Amino acid sequence: MGPLNTAPRPIAGDIATQRLLPREAPLPMAASDLGKNRVSDRIPAPVASTIAWRRGLIFLSTAALTGAGGYEMYRVLEVGGVTVLEAMVLALFLVLLAWVAFSFASAVAGFVVLLAHHPDGGAFAPGAELPAISSRTAMLLPTYNEDPHRLTARLRAIIESLEATSHGKLFDWYVLSDSTDPDIWVAEEKALLALRQAVETRLYYRHRADNTARKAGNISEWITRFGGVYDFMVVLDADSLMSGQTIVRLVHAIESNPSAGLVQTLPMIVNARSLFSRVQQFAGRLYGPMIAAGVAWWHGSEGNYWGHNAIIRVKAFAESAALPQLRGRKPFGGHILSHDFVEAALMRRSGWGIYMLPTLGGSYEEVPPSLLDFAARDRRWCQGNLQHLAVVPARGLHWLSRLHFMVGIGAYLTAPMWLLFLLLGMLISLQARFVRPEYFPKGFSLFPTWPAQDPVLAIWVFVATMGLLLLPKLLSLILLWRHGSVRRQFGGALQALAGLFAEIVVSALMAPVMMIFQSIAVVEILAGRDAGWQTQRRDDGTVERRELYRKYGIPTLCGVAMAVSAYAVSLPLLLWMSPVIVGLLFAVPIGALTAQPASGNLFITPEEREPPPVLRRANELSASADVGGSPALVQLREDPALLAFHLAQLPPPRAARPDTVDANLAVGRAKVDASETFEEAAEHLSSREVFSILNDGSALSTVLQKR
């Protein structure tokens, strides 16, 4: 790794006028038919002989815990007879308890698996010898309106890390841009041109003027143009970071298993700065490995795909994973948003194995800086997962793939179910407090019917349920305490314990707010409101006061309504509901506080205490990157080499037809023709008009030649 120097060398003429794309090697992709079972002549991925009893153990444990808890809840409610409202509460409790028990069983499995695993040993240890590889792999980085300087800083760090393994010649690098902001587009080209001069590797760049099907369409378009010469592809996200050693081991893992179609890593959260993101980073680092080890233990070759930081067999993906458009209108119809789950399920349908390596390490990502940013991304994920309701009945899917879809759907439907569970419980209490019992109901009855519960047993049921939620966190802490090196990286046993309790408190305060946000999202999506495609913030989590009041107003009002209703029944009920009510009542200050920058050792993680080389290098490059810049047209006017490079990247012009006329381009040309100077034209052009002009070489030359 060379010294830190991001100053670009003078642009050579041949580089500035060179189109950064290789010769095309098409690989066909035909959209999958969800209504027809795909018949494959290949032998399906082998299933481990022990996998059946592993899955049986998980489901039997879930059923046993749900049955025991459901029976005790019935005993709580059956005092005086079970009313209609109480029956609804019992039904909701059974579903929600099954959800909690399922996660608990999987986490306990991960705990047992990691008890036998030493984090400093094995083939994946940082100092272990790298395996030999021979396949050709493409590194794909799709991007959409991201900060080009930080994007290329992370990419350069990965390239340098991989080059240091001596396997760099087996990899080609592609930046696949779907950016629609003209200023970001030109800044991307400037940053990529500088990176192209700074690294000695095959680095390519392609910008799509029409970002059909979003990220999934971006990847598919690359496959149909360039995928034919590659064995594998590693798909990154805009915030992804992977070490070179990890990438080499991923290639070796999929090379060694001819039936593997995809191998997923476990990305760890890094670079957290706000209190919200630091809590997420700490929780993911402490609990994530155990949870991932548990699901990998019983998923086997029927794993899942998270859309990034994974290696994929190009041929398998092209044959199996081309996505269809769903019937109907948005939000349920159209292009599939959460494409990764569907791609994994379609590959498994064709017999390819989907695996996960939870202990590989060296895989990183970032997290939104505030609860509002997280909720905005979560809203899009919610729509994507609810879309899967149309995919679940697809012919030929493995039953575990259908389960993955149901788990993703349930992750969002449980939020309104929890809310309904709480509201029904309060309604029962209000009914018992204010509604006079019917002493002479219709039909024969010796006794009146009114709500009644066993309060002591209710407390024990609550404690047991909370135990299922919290015990996995304590098991993660036990794993940390067992390994001295990891314990020291977390700051020691006591500091890790303090962080765990602080994480529980902060997460408990934010959970009711997320419950409201997710419930609103589900209602909006069911009502037909599309989430769209917004750029995710990566750094600053601060929120304006007006935005805080506007976004957190509904959770706050819900907290007021719950507090008043609970107090109207009794003070003990208010205290009983306080964990939920407090988080909702103080949603505004909690949202503002958690979005602020936070430092200290309370939520320290190993990657923060001792950053791995690739992370340290990426952060150095990001800190020294040139931020800011002029508008796109100004940059191109002032930099002839950048203009030549931009023009070289444009695809050949298409023949004009009535159905392909670009209205923005036509209006932009008219504004340019009506302007006396370049400054006047630039002032009156909208962002969409500038974008269309940037895609047309002749129109761009016209506006730049204005005096």
Side-chain angles (χ1 to χ4, degrees):
M1 185 181 298
L4 181 63
N5 181 13
T6 58
R9 300 193 297 267
I11 301 175
D14 59 338
I15 298 179
T17 58
Q18 178 185 12
R19 194 174 190 202
L20 288 189
L21 283 177
R23 180 179 299 177
E24 294 195 5
L27 189 61
M29 289 186 72
S32 301
D33 189 340
L34 300 181
K36 294 182 180 179
N37 190 2
R38 179 181 174 86
V39 179
S40 176
D41 57 358
R42 65 179 313 278
I43 300 175
V47 178
S49 58
T50 58
I51 204 71
W53 76 262
R54 291 180 183 181
R55 293 169 180 171
L57 184 62
I58 294 295
F59 292 118
L60 284 175
S61 300
T62 301
L65 290 170
T66 304
Y71 174 70
E72 294 302 320
M73 187 65 174
Y74 172 77
R75 291 179 59 201
V76 170
L77 299 173
E78 61 93 21
V79 179
V82 178
T83 65
V84 173
L85 289 180
E86 289 175 334
M88 294 173 63
V89 166
L90 179 60
L92 284 172
F93 179 79
L94 283 172
V95 175
L96 295 170
L97 180 61
W99 181 263
V100 173
F102 180 64
S103 301
F104 174 81
S106 190
V108 172
F111 172 74
V112 175
V113 169
L114 292 185
L115 277 178
H117 171 77
H118 198 284
D120 297 328
F124 297 155
E129 183 178 353
L130 287 178
I133 59 173
S134 59
S135 302
R136 192 172 179 189
T137 303
M139 304 291 299
L140 307 185
L141 177 55
T143 179
Y144 174 77
N145 291 339
E146 296 283 346
D147 181 345
H149 301 291
R150 294 194 63 194
L151 187 81
T152 52
R154 284 188 288 263
L155 183 58
R156 180 174 175 179
I158 302 173
I159 292 173
E160 291 178 350
S161 180
L162 187 56
E163 291 291 332
T165 67
S166 75
H167 293 290
K169 293 183 179 179
L170 295 172
F171 296 83
D172 291 351
W173 303 78
Y174 289 83
V175 176
L176 307 176
S177 173
D178 265 354
S179 295
T180 56
D181 186 309
D183 297 337
I184 291 179
W185 177 13
V186 172
E188 272 177 6
E189 293 180 325
K190 185 176 181 179
L192 262 294
L193 187 54
L195 179 60
R196 181 67 179 82
Q197 301 170 79
V199 296
E200 299 294 333
T201 189
R202 291 183 297 274
L203 174 63
Y204 304 113
Y205 174 74
R206 190 271 288 126
H207 178 268
R208 286 202 305 169
D210 181 13
N211 44 27
T212 303
R214 307 181 184 184
K215 182 179 177 181
N218 200 352
I219 299 295
S220 297
E221 194 263 2
W222 175 85
I223 290 176
T224 57
R225 292 181 63 188
F226 307 105
V229 296
Y230 295 100
D231 300 295
F232 312 117
M233 59 183 182
V234 174
V235 180
L236 304 170
D237 234 352
D239 60 349
S240 291
L241 199 62
M242 296 180 74
S243 73
Q245 292 186 346
T246 294
I247 295 171
V248 171
R249 288 183 173 125
L250 268 182
V251 174
H252 179 260
I254 200 168
E255 274 185 345
S256 304
N257 187 350
S259 66
L262 184 150
V263 181
Q264 175 72 61
T265 66
L266 174 63
M268 295 296 179
I269 299 172
V270 294
N271 288 337
R273 297 176 179 85
S274 66
L275 177 59
F276 173 82
S277 58
R278 285 181 61 80
V279 169
Q280 301 302 310
Q281 177 178 271
F282 177 83
R285 187 62 177 85
L286 183 58
Y287 316 139
M290 186 183 76
I291 295 171
V295 297
W297 178 76
W298 66 272
H299 282 179
S301 59
E302 286 75 44
N304 213 344
Y305 175 37
W306 299 339
H308 57 92
N309 292 37
I311 190 167
I312 303 172
R313 194 178 299 273
V314 176
K315 178 183 177 182
F317 193 89
E319 288 178 350
S320 313
L323 300 180
Q325 286 202 48
L326 299 179
R327 296 177 181 176
R329 296 186 300 174
K330 295 181 179 180
F332 290 108
H335 298 293
I336 297 175
L337 294 182
S338 292
H339 55 90
D340 38 15
F341 280 34
V342 183
E343 290 160 348
L346 294 176
M347 291 176 70
R348 189 66 191 86
R349 183 173 75 166
S350 296
W352 296 100
I354 311 297
Y355 297 92
M356 183 180 186
L357 296 177
T359 60
L360 176 58
S363 178
Y364 311 101
E365 63 177 348
E366 296 182 6
V367 72
S370 73
L371 183 58
L372 287 182
D373 290 293
F374 183 87
R377 185 183 71 174
D378 197 65
R379 168 67 170 78
R380 187 176 71 250
W381 288 357
C382 178
Q383 180 175 332
N385 278 273
L386 292 184
Q387 266 189 327
H388 293 164
L389 287 167
V391 184
V392 172
R395 298 284 299 274
L397 294 183
H398 193 281
W399 67 268
L400 205 55
S401 297
R402 300 187 202 275
L403 179 64
H404 292 323
F405 290 134
M406 297 308 298
V407 168
I409 295 167
Y412 293 95
L413 293 185
T414 50
M417 290 176 70
W418 277 114
L419 180 60
L420 183 58
F421 177 79
L422 293 173
L423 294 178
L424 285 176
M426 295 191 65
L427 187 59
I428 290 173
S429 299
L430 287 170
Q431 183 185 39
R433 174 70 172 81
F434 293 106
V435 178
R436 186 172 60 183
E438 187 179 350
Y439 286 98
F440 301 100
K442 295 181 180 179
F444 177 76
S445 176
L446 294 176
F447 303 100
T449 300
W450 62 80
Q453 298 88 36
D454 185 334
V456 176
L457 188 56
I459 293 176
W460 283 110
V461 171
F462 172 78
V463 170
T465 304
M466 293 304 298
L468 293 179
L469 289 169
L470 298 179
L471 185 56
K473 297 176 184 285
L474 299 178
L475 294 179
S476 297
L477 192 65
I478 292 173
L479 289 173
L480 180 147
W481 284 347
R482 289 187 70 249
H483 302 295
S485 59
V486 180
R487 184 173 64 246
R488 287 188 294 273
Q489 289 176 327
F490 274 91
L494 293 179
Q495 188 166 308
L497 179 63
L500 182 143
F501 282 116
E503 184 274 329
I504 290 174
V505 172
V506 175
S507 297
L509 290 172
M510 294 189 297
V513 180
M514 277 305 302
M515 176 184 67
I516 299 297
F517 283 158
Q518 288 183 337
S519 299
I520 293 173
V522 170
V523 171
E524 287 180 344
I525 292 166
L526 294 178
R529 182 176 175 184
D530 184 32
W533 193 16
Q534 296 84 26
T535 304
Q536 181 176 308
R537 290 200 303 173
R538 305 287 183 189
D539 273 335
D540 186 16
T542 55
V543 185
E544 294 182 359
R545 182 174 300 179
R546 180 182 301 178
E547 188 75 357
L548 281 171
Y549 293 142
R550 186 173 72 88
K551 292 293 182 65
Y552 289 112
I554 293 180
T556 302
L557 291 176
C558 290
V560 171
M562 284 188 179
V564 171
S565 300
Y567 184 72
V569 176
S570 66
L571 181 60
L573 180 61
L574 177 63
L575 297 176
W576 177 267
M577 296 286 296
S578 61
V580 175
I581 291 174
V582 169
L584 294 175
L585 284 177
F586 295 95
V588 171
I590 290 171
L593 178 64
T594 55
Q596 296 298 318
S599 59
N601 295 324
L602 183 58
F603 297 115
I604 198 75
T605 61
E607 288 74 23
E608 188 175 12
R609 180 178 290 274
E610 299 177 10
V614 67
L615 175 60
R616 185 166 57 249
R617 177 63 170 167
N619 289 341
E620 288 173 352
L621 291 166
S622 295
S624 61
D626 179 24
V627 295
S630 305
L633 293 176
V634 174
Q635 288 200 59
L636 294 175
R637 182 181 173 91
E638 295 176 349
D639 191 338
L642 180 60
L643 173 60
F645 179 76
H646 173 82
L647 293 173
Q649 308 316 306
L650 294 179
R654 295 181 298 179
R657 297 196 312 269
D659 60 336
T660 61
V661 171
D662 185 344
N664 289 312
L665 178 60
V667 173
R669 280 182 177 274
K671 289 183 178 180
V672 170
D673 292 339
S675 301
E676 295 291 334
T677 65
F678 169 80
E679 288 75 14
E680 183 182 4
E683 180 183 355
H684 289 89
L685 289 171
S686 69
S687 178
R688 291 186 177 182
E689 292 160 0
V690 172
F691 182 79
S692 294
I693 288 175
L694 290 178
N695 274 296
D696 188 282
S698 62
L700 180 59
S701 298
T702 300
V703 68
L704 294 182
Q705 288 171 2
K706 288 281 182 177
R707 61 180 178 84

